[in-house]
Amino acid sequence: MAKMEVKTSLLDNMIGVGDMVLLEPLSEDSFINNLKKRFDHSEIYTYIGSVVVSINPYRPLPIYSPEKVEEYRNRNFYELSPHIFALSDEAYRSLRDQDKDQCILITGESGAGKTEASKLVMSYVAAVCGKGAEVNQVKEQLLQSNPVLEAFGNAKTVRNDNSSRFGKYMDIEFDFKGDPLGGVISNYLLEKSRVVKQPRGERNFHIFYQILSGASEDLLNKLKLERDFSRYNYLSLDSARVNGVDDAVNFRTVRNAMQIVGFMDHETQSILEVVAAVLKLGNIEFKPESRVNGLDESKIKDKNELKEICELTGIDQSVLERAFSFRTVEAKQEKVSTTLNVAQAYYARDALAKNLYSRLFSWLVTRINESIKAQTKVRKKVMGVLDIYGFEIFEDNSFEQFIINYCNEKLQQIFIELTLKEEQEEYIREDIEWTHIEYFNNAIICDLIENNQTGILAMLDEECLRPGTVTDDTFLEKLNQVCATHQHFESRMSKCSRFLNDTSLPHSCFRIQHYAGKVMYQVEGFVDKNNDLLYRDLSQAMWKANHSLIKALFPEGNPAKINLKRPPTAGSQFKASVATLMKNLQTKNPNYIRCIKPNDKKAAHIFNEALVCHQVRYLGLLENVRVRRAGYAFRQPYELCLERYKMLCKQTWPHWRGPARAGVEVLFNELEIPEEEYSFGRSKIFIRNPRTLFKLEDLRKQRLEDLATLIQKIYRGWKCRTHFLLMKRSQIVIASWCRRYAQQKKYQRIKSSAIVVQSYIRGWKARKLLRELKHQKRCKEAATTIAAYWHGTQVRREYRKFFRANAGRKIYEFTLQKIMQKYFLEMKNKMPSLSPIDKNWPARPYLFLDSTHKELKRIFHLWRCKKYRDQFTDQQKLIYEEKLEASELFKDKKALYPASVGQPFHGAYLEISKNPKYKKLKDAVEEKIIIAEVVNKINRANGKCASRIFLLTKNNVLLADQKSGHIKSEVPLGDVTKVSMSSQNDGFFAVHLKEGSGAAGKGDFLFSSDHLIEMATKLYRTTLSQTKQKLNIEISDEFLVQFKQDKVCVKFIQGNQKNGNIPTCKRKNNRLLEVAVP
């Protein structure tokens, strides 16, 4: 039977409010409190309409299992509790079933969990799409591209141990069935300044540490690297090791992922050589040197590092050394070569390192795209996943933060536009009247930054291209002139007098009021970072390398393709990239994931309300809720609404037979909900105020309780009826069995009566026949008697003739018979008592009866002994048998025997079963106990005595500690070969064990007991009963015992006893043990 599917709803068992659109009342405090309440209960996902708000838990949660994937698969977005899988499933099904291209925008600050969210989206899509060898290969390549890009583009920051230092947009391409075909990755603004300098507490990109930690010694030698981090200037040492991160394991993971994605071995080696070259560039140091003409120039201090870099890259050492010392400027047909001072040389070195690494990263992205791109040219459906930096507000904000925040302004602009557009399209689709929604339009801020004439980026490019002295201060002066009157721009040097008194704003800074709040930027470095210049000498030196990858990274270094045109600035490149990205996003259906970091400590179970509030503000989440609630706060298809609330109306419960919309209308009219609180669309019901929805939920909850009571009542009635019918059936069965039993008894009585009648009839017939037979017999006997008498008369007549001749003999025999008769009658009256020990016997009356008299005495004695024995019980017989056995074993052999004759053999002297002290011993011994006696065990080494409990059972001899009852030794009866004792009046005896048995490890046992005769007798009888072999009882004043490997002679001597009747034992040497007995 299939497992019952239990459907839940977003509104069931809510912790807080699952959808912020339903939050009532709506305020910043209630918004934060709702997030905190859900976070404290491990509910990290919350909806704002179709937007998912995700809070980083900083710990693994059991909500991403394959079972969860199946739970959210093909389910309505609001059908289950909020989850990133619900949004992923909604996007995937819209792409597959409705042929709509999708994009998933993941935003948030560093450490908020954007990268993990993008991985979860991709893993969910990979799990629910089709199967097959080719499809699985594509999915594996798409998933394994993440570890490669993370290694080269992620770094440890103070906010995140795996922070993405670049923006990533991946288009995953699907066929008409929804199976992945391939993908295309776009990267934005790699933070290449991190290559040469990292803030305190942060690391360089992961790949540097992974190579040094995980590469083999052979590979390190090939790359001319050492494992010690401190050898490299580009690596910060204060955070070189990260808790919970194993760089060596991650390096193997990256190598494996590169192989899966499709990198060849020589390509991987080339990439690692470029990374090693970048790492070693930081170790090149310069020293100043004056020329003859008075100009300063720089020289490399130690050329060994330069030599190794040239060996790695295949560059001529003199060419690269000159590129670090001179700069050639070309203007039309003229070339001017100038020397570089130390500062300029360091700038050139760092510029080369940054460009080399950033171009390598771009090449990696291009190479991955070649591997994962779709191989077919059929029409494709596209799902884009955007994982890009969130809004950043630091203490020191520079050019990178300015560019990142500009990108977020554009994303916020498109977010508001697409959200409003989606709302408007749904209203039009559902035929609901559209009302204008007031919201803050950040287009004015975007225009301040990107305007082609007066925008900040345009001013920066203009300043970079202007001849003459160009500095960051001249750029700020230009901004003060052009943007002074803009309401979202502030500067201390601005002509607007209201800012002149703002002492919190330094002279070298300007402030922009973004949608997320005010951000102050330091202009230092703006011009240099925007220029991003790499001297042409270095480009040409790189192009001359024999290293194919490095040569491909610097195509502008080709002398045949010299272009005197200035390359585009970093700001203009990023502006163009953002424009392309926005254009791409506007062609797709958007899905949003807003990531929030709960604390700066990267710790679980900590919710910093101030930090979360800051992020909620700059993510514009409250603005998003207000936009969603400006029209109708909640909407739901008629079928789902009717299914959820149909129990509130008698007409719709339990089944509504008509259209779903008509059922909802009947339901709402029955509940008397004001008409201004809802509107009917084509396929959905729209509810304006969350209070109305919560009222419905309260009514539903109360109705469910009533229905539960009704179900319980019906169930109890059914249960009672079932019980009654069961008892009724049982009564019928019992009655039938009773009637059957009664009829059986009646039949038995009739049968018995018939048998009795039959027996009486047969008896009467038998008796009649018997009488007839007796009569016939009497007749025969009478005839026989008459004949006998007749024959007797005839014989007596003949006998009289011969009587006189035999009379003497007859008289003798008669006299003898009378004497015997008198003898036996007198013996009858003179018989002695029946006691077997009575020695009396009547005197012989006649000499000729002597033999008869003795035989009668013997027979009578045997007879009265038998009569005496017949009076014994089985237990008495056993005791006398044991006494008899003891007599046979020890009589006239052991001096102690006569004293034991009058002592009864009790056996169980300790009463173990009654004594609670020995409960543990009783539980351990399962067999019947024959002997339970305290004996003195003789120490084999020194002859000292120790009290032990001696237990004899049917199969074993056991020794236990007298105090604790713990069993010390257990010897099977089959291992006992002999018992030895002296002939003296002592209780000393030895138990000999079979050699090689488990119990004979320490040797034979020596004991002393007050009941020696009884113990030896019972041991003899029990051994004979179990093994069918007689136990050898040796009685001698000298005998041998086995102690481990030695045979020791036990010798009994006359002496004084120190401990009462206990024999005194003394070990003379390794071969003799003397026992002093009285």
Side-chain angles (χ1 to χ4, degrees):
M1 189 171 114
K3 183 179 179 182
M4 182 180 293
E5 185 179 24
V6 181
K7 291 190 175 183
T8 58
S9 168
L10 172 69
L11 300 171
D12 287 335
N13 303 321
M14 279 197 306
I15 296 172
V17 178
D19 190 343
M20 289 294 188
V21 175
L22 305 177
L23 188 62
E24 189 70 24
L26 177 63
S27 66
E28 188 175 86
D29 290 340
S30 63
F31 192 98
I32 301 300
N33 289 334
N34 188 56
L35 287 178
K36 184 177 187 302
K37 184 177 182 180
R38 292 179 61 79
F39 178 80
D40 291 341
H41 289 82
S42 298
E43 293 287 343
I44 63 171
Y45 296 111
T46 308
Y47 291 154
I48 301 178
S50 60
V51 177
V52 174
V53 179
S54 170
I55 302 180
N56 191 346
Y58 287 117
R59 61 190 174 100
L61 294 176
I63 57 173
Y64 306 109
S65 60
E67 292 77 15
K68 276 288 181 183
V69 172
E70 289 301 319
E71 183 180 343
Y72 280 86
R73 186 173 186 173
N74 295 326
R75 303 294 281 269
N76 183 277
F77 186 74
Y78 295 103
E79 189 173 345
L80 299 174
S81 59
H83 201 289
I84 194 172
F85 286 169
L87 180 137
S88 305
D89 187 74
E90 184 77 12
Y92 176 72
R93 285 192 293 114
S94 297
L95 176 138
R96 182 191 62 191
D97 301 336
Q98 301 176 18
D99 204 19
K100 292 182 180 178
D101 287 348
Q102 303 290 318
C103 65
I104 298 177
L105 282 70
I106 307 172
T107 57
E109 73 171 46
S110 178
K114 301 186 298 298
T115 302
E116 287 301 316
S118 66
K119 290 180 185 178
L120 289 171
V121 170
M122 293 177 64
S123 63
Y124 179 85
V125 173
V128 300
C129 63
K131 310 294 181 184
E134 293 184 4
V135 173
N136 289 339
Q137 182 182 0
V138 171
K139 289 193 292 188
E140 189 67 15
Q141 286 185 336
L142 290 173
L143 293 175
Q144 290 300 325
S145 65
N146 282 323
V148 179
L149 294 178
E150 284 184 13
F152 286 87
N154 287 24
K156 188 262 183 190
T157 66
V158 292
R159 296 187 175 185
N160 186 2
D161 291 342
N162 188 33
S163 176
S164 298
R165 307 317 299 161
F166 70 103
K168 182 179 73 172
Y169 177 75
M170 173 184 281
D171 269 333
I172 307 174
E173 299 172 336
F174 298 84
D175 62 9
F176 69 96
K177 298 178 295 183
D179 294 341
L181 297 173
V184 178
I185 300 174
S186 302
N187 66 299
Y188 300 95
L189 194 65
L190 176 73
E191 188 188 12
K192 56 186 178 182
S193 61
R194 181 172 292 271
V195 174
V196 299
K197 184 179 180 181
Q198 303 91 43
R200 189 173 188 83
E202 299 188 3
R203 291 206 314 177
N204 210 324
F205 292 102
H206 292 328
I207 188 63
F208 296 114
Y209 304 92
Q210 291 173 359
I211 290 177
L212 297 181
S213 299
S216 64
E217 293 296 336
D218 182 55
L219 180 58
L220 287 177
N221 291 334
K222 289 181 180 178
L223 299 178
K224 304 185 183 305
L225 295 175
E226 298 179 20
R227 209 174 289 279
D228 185 8
F229 295 161
S230 62
R231 290 277 293 110
Y232 304 99
N233 297 331
Y234 279 166
L235 301 184
S236 61
L237 299 180
D238 56 341
S239 300
R241 303 288 181 184
V242 181
N243 292 334
V245 176
D246 191 333
D247 291 315
V249 174
N250 291 341
F251 180 68
R252 291 191 289 271
T253 302
V254 171
R255 292 290 296 269
N256 182 59
M258 294 177 76
Q259 188 176 3
I260 293 174
V261 171
F263 283 88
M264 306 299 289
D265 290 342
H266 70 274
E267 291 178 322
T268 304
Q269 183 65 25
S270 298
I271 293 169
L272 297 180
E273 288 172 352
V274 173
V275 174
V278 171
L279 199 56
K280 295 183 76 63
L281 275 173
N283 290 349
I284 296 179
E285 297 181 349
F286 302 93
K287 60 183 178 180
E289 189 172 299
S290 299
R291 301 184 68 183
V292 178
N293 56 8
L295 296 176
D296 290 335
E297 65 176 12
S298 62
K299 291 292 183 180
I300 297 176
K301 287 183 180 180
D302 184 3
K303 296 184 180 181
N304 186 51
E305 294 285 354
L306 180 66
K307 178 183 177 183
E308 291 183 351
I309 293 173
C310 293
E311 290 174 357
L312 277 173
T313 58
I315 303 174
D316 184 87
Q317 183 175 343
S318 60
V319 173
L320 186 58
E321 184 177 2
R322 176 176 175 77
F324 280 134
S325 302
F326 295 90
R327 177 187 179 189
T328 303
V329 180
E330 297 185 17
K332 295 184 179 179
Q333 301 299 323
E334 296 181 1
K335 289 185 180 182
V336 179
S337 181
T338 60
T339 60
L340 300 178
N341 57 30
V342 172
Q344 291 171 331
Y346 276 117
Y347 174 84
R349 180 200 69 178
D350 292 345
L352 177 61
K354 290 188 290 184
N355 274 272
L356 192 58
Y357 191 83
S358 67
R359 295 185 188 203
L360 172 64
F361 187 79
S362 299
W363 181 87
L364 273 173
V365 173
T366 304
R367 178 63 183 83
I368 291 173
N369 286 337
E370 291 176 3
S371 296
I372 66 175
K373 69 180 179 181
Q375 302 300 321
T376 59
K377 295 184 178 180
V378 298
R379 182 178 176 275
K380 308 176 188 70
K381 303 175 183 179
V382 178
M383 176 185 289
V385 179
L386 178 64
D387 174 10
I388 202 164
Y389 8 67
F391 202 89
E392 292 188 349
I393 305 176
F394 299 145
E395 291 184 6
D396 297 326
N397 300 288
S398 188
F399 179 74
E400 290 84 2
Q401 283 68 46
F402 176 75
I403 291 296
I404 288 170
N405 294 343
Y406 161 61
C407 179
N408 277 272
E409 284 286 356
K410 296 294 290 183
L411 287 174
Q412 176 69 9
Q413 185 181 26
I414 194 173
F415 171 69
I416 295 295
E417 289 177 358
L418 292 178
T419 301
L420 290 175
K421 181 181 178 182
E422 181 184 358
E423 285 283 297
Q424 186 173 11
E425 287 178 352
E426 184 171 19
Y427 280 28
I428 294 173
R429 186 168 60 248
E430 294 292 330
D431 200 17
I432 299 293
E433 182 179 354
W434 171 257
T435 55
H436 180 69
I437 298 175
E438 294 292 337
Y439 67 96
F440 170 69
N441 190 343
N442 67 336
I444 186 172
I445 303 175
C446 295
D447 184 70
L448 170 65
I449 298 173
E450 67 181 4
N451 188 284
N452 291 331
Q453 301 298 326
T454 59
I456 295 176
L457 286 177
M459 297 298 101
L460 182 58
D461 286 348
E462 182 179 330
E463 195 67 12
C464 290
L465 297 174
R466 181 174 62 84
T469 303
V470 178
T471 63
D472 295 320
D473 293 333
T474 59
F475 164 63
L476 183 59
E477 290 177 3
K478 193 172 189 69
L479 289 182
N480 291 335
Q481 295 173 4
V482 176
C483 305
T485 58
H486 199 284
Q487 58 181 337
H488 291 276
F489 178 84
E490 302 174 10
S491 171
R492 188 183 182 101
M493 300 301 294
S494 172
K495 295 178 181 178
C496 186
S497 59
R498 64 190 178 97
F499 297 119
L500 290 177
N501 297 324
D502 188 358
T503 57
S504 65
L505 194 62
H507 291 279
S508 60
C509 298
F510 65 91
R511 183 186 293 143
I512 295 179
Q513 185 174 353
H514 291 279
Y515 77 92
K518 294 182 178 181
V519 182
M520 183 178 68
Y521 299 100
Q522 294 182 350
V523 296
E524 181 182 354
F526 262 64
V527 174
D528 287 340
K529 292 176 181 179
N530 188 53
N531 272 325
D532 194 22
L533 289 178
L534 179 66
Y535 298 150
R536 183 173 290 118
D537 301 77
L538 290 172
S539 299
Q540 291 175 352
M542 293 296 106
W543 188 84
K544 293 176 182 178
N546 292 328
H547 197 284
S548 58
L549 176 56
I550 294 180
K551 192 166 187 173
L553 296 179
F554 293 89
E556 75 276 12
N558 188 351
K561 298 180 180 179
I562 293 179
N563 185 4
L564 298 180
K565 185 178 179 181
R566 188 182 184 93
T569 62
S572 60
Q573 291 180 34
F574 188 74
K575 177 182 174 182
S577 299
V578 169
T580 304
L581 175 64
M582 297 302 118
K583 185 178 180 181
N584 190 358
L585 294 179
Q586 286 178 337
T587 62
K588 295 178 174 63
N589 185 49
N591 302 272
Y592 300 96
I593 301 174
R594 302 295 207 183
C595 298
I596 292 177
K597 181 171 64 173
N599 60 77
D600 280 327
K601 299 179 180 179
K602 296 177 278 190
H605 306 293
I606 298 177
F607 189 92
N608 188 324
E609 295 188 17
L611 178 63
V612 174
C613 179
H614 173 69
Q615 295 172 80
V616 166
R617 287 174 182 170
Y618 75 63
L619 286 173
L621 299 184
L622 276 176
E623 189 76 16
N624 187 8
V625 176
R626 292 190 181 99
V627 169
R628 290 285 300 188
R629 289 179 56 160
Y632 293 90
F634 185 77
R635 68 287 315 267
Q636 193 175 34
Y638 291 121
E639 293 79 7
L640 296 178
C641 181
L642 183 62
E643 180 68 24
R644 185 166 183 83
Y645 302 112
K646 63 182 180 180
M647 72 287 296
L648 300 179
C649 177
K650 293 182 179 179
Q651 301 178 46
T652 57
W653 177 258
H655 300 293
W656 173 256
R657 302 297 180 186
R661 172 171 176 166
V664 175
E665 291 179 356
V666 169
L667 175 65
F668 277 50
N669 290 334
E670 177 74 18
L671 296 176
E672 297 181 353
I673 297 176
E675 294 184 359
E676 63 270 12
E677 287 296 321
Y678 63 89
S679 292
F680 292 104
R682 296 181 185 274
S683 63
K684 296 180 181 179
I685 176 72
F686 287 75
I687 298 176
R688 186 179 301 277
N689 199 305
R691 285 193 298 272
T692 304
L693 180 65
F694 292 144
K695 177 184 176 182
L696 288 173
E697 283 298 310
D698 291 340
L699 292 173
R700 178 178 181 271
K701 183 178 179 181
Q702 181 61 42
R703 181 58 178 158
L704 286 176
E705 293 177 358
D706 296 340
L707 290 175
T709 305
L710 177 63
I711 292 171
Q712 287 178 345
K713 181 183 73 174
I714 295 173
Y715 170 74
R716 291 192 183 107
W718 169 84
K719 189 175 181 180
C720 290
R721 283 194 301 275
T722 304
H723 183 63
F724 167 74
L725 293 174
L726 179 62
M727 293 182 65
K728 184 178 179 182
R729 287 196 296 269
S730 302
Q731 186 272 334
I732 293 172
V733 171
I734 293 171
S736 65
W737 277 86
C738 289
R739 286 194 295 271
R740 174 187 172 189
Y741 176 75
Q743 291 300 319
Q744 285 178 339
K745 296 297 287 183
K746 183 179 179 181
Y747 168 74
Q748 292 292 340
R749 287 197 301 271
I750 295 173
K751 183 178 179 182
S752 300
S753 301
I755 291 172
V756 170
V757 172
Q758 288 177 351
S759 66
Y760 274 103
I761 293 173
R762 291 191 189 97
W764 174 77
K765 287 183 177 181
R767 283 190 297 276
K768 182 180 178 183
L769 179 60
L770 179 62
R771 284 193 298 269
E772 293 176 354
L773 292 174
K774 283 183 176 180
H775 177 69
Q776 293 177 5
K777 182 179 179 183
R778 282 195 296 269
C779 291
K780 289 180 180 180
E781 289 178 348
T784 303
T785 303
I786 294 171
Y789 274 100
W790 168 252
H791 290 302
T793 302
Q794 291 296 105
V795 169
R796 281 191 295 276
R797 285 177 182 174
E798 291 294 326
Y799 179 74
R800 288 190 192 105
K801 297 176 180 179
F802 304 98
F803 177 73
R804 293 182 183 275
N806 299 317
R809 187 173 60 83
K810 292 289 185 182
I811 292 171
Y812 171 77
E813 290 176 356
F814 176 79
T815 303
L816 186 63
Q817 183 179 1
K818 286 297 182 178
I819 291 173
M820 293 294 293
Q821 185 177 9
K822 180 182 177 182
Y823 168 72
F824 282 117
L825 289 175
E826 287 177 352
M827 285 295 293
K828 176 182 177 184
N829 297 325
K830 295 178 182 180
M831 290 299 290
S833 67
L834 295 180
S835 174
I837 60 175
D838 189 355
K839 303 286 186 178
N840 295 324
W841 185 250
R844 166 175 50 84
Y846 303 102
L847 182 61
F848 76 92
L849 292 175
D850 183 66
S851 61
T852 301
H853 193 70
K854 290 180 180 179
E855 185 64 19
L856 281 176
K857 180 180 179 181
R858 187 184 69 81
I859 292 172
F860 178 79
H861 181 71
L862 291 176
W863 174 79
R864 67 181 178 182
C865 287
K866 180 179 182 303
K867 294 293 286 184
Y868 185 82
R869 288 198 304 273
D870 290 342
Q871 298 174 6
F872 293 166
T873 62
D874 292 339
Q875 186 175 3
Q876 289 174 328
K877 288 180 181 179
L878 180 62
I879 292 173
Y880 281 104
E881 286 174 2
E882 289 178 347
K883 285 290 184 178
L884 182 60
E885 196 79 51
S887 174
E888 293 175 357
L889 292 172
F890 302 107
K891 187 175 181 181
D892 300 329
K893 298 177 184 178
K894 178 73 173 171
L896 186 65
Y897 170 73
S900 71
V901 173
Q903 296 177 356
F905 289 176
H906 293 297
Y909 290 96
L910 295 183
E911 296 183 343
I912 291 177
S913 59
K914 297 180 180 178
N915 194 337
K917 177 181 177 181
Y918 300 117
K919 183 177 183 303
K920 181 178 180 182
L921 180 60
K922 176 179 174 295
D923 295 339
V925 180
E926 298 180 354
E927 299 174 304
K928 179 182 177 182
I929 298 175
I930 299 172
I931 290 180
E933 163 69 329
V934 176
V935 300
N936 291 306
K937 179 179 175 292
I938 311 301
N939 190 293
R940 300 179 183 91
N942 52 29
K944 293 184 178 179
C945 298
S947 296
R948 292 286 186 270
I949 298 175
F950 184 97
L951 298 180
L952 174 63
T953 66
K954 280 188 175 182
N955 297 306
N956 299 290
V957 173
L958 298 98
L959 292 178
D961 187 81
Q962 185 181 6
K963 295 181 179 179
S964 64
H966 179 69
I967 295 177
K968 295 288 188 177
S969 302
E970 183 174 355
V971 181
L973 288 180
D975 292 344
V976 178
T977 60
K978 185 170 65 174
V979 175
S980 297
M981 62 190 73
S982 73
S983 61
Q984 307 296 323
N985 192 18
D986 63 278
F988 186 97
F989 68 100
V991 179
H992 300 267
L993 305 181
K994 185 188 296 182
E995 290 187 7
S997 63
K1002 294 183 178 180
D1004 301 334
F1005 289 103
L1006 302 180
F1007 301 103
S1008 176
S1009 172
D1010 295 333
H1011 302 91
L1012 169 61
I1013 301 300
E1014 178 182 359
M1015 293 178 69
T1017 303
K1018 288 184 179 289
L1019 181 60
Y1020 176 87
R1021 289 176 58 83
T1022 306
T1023 305
L1024 179 62
S1025 173
Q1026 294 300 316
T1027 64
K1028 308 302 180 185
Q1029 294 179 358
K1030 291 184 178 181
L1031 179 64
N1032 186 12
I1033 305 293
E1034 180 183 4
I1035 301 176
S1036 174
D1037 291 339
E1038 283 189 22
F1039 53 83
L1040 295 176
V1041 292
Q1042 182 76 30
F1043 288 172
K1044 292 187 178 178
Q1045 304 298 326
D1046 301 325
K1047 287 188 179 294
V1048 178
C1049 176
V1050 179
K1051 184 177 181 180
F1052 292 82
I1053 61 174
Q1054 298 295 324
N1056 296 324
Q1057 293 175 305
K1058 298 179 180 180
N1059 300 321
N1061 294 326
I1062 300 175
T1064 303
C1065 301
K1066 187 173 183 181
R1067 186 78 178 265
K1068 289 295 185 178
N1069 52 49
N1070 290 339
R1071 301 295 181 181
L1072 178 62
L1073 177 68
E1074 287 185 353
V1075 182
V1077 296

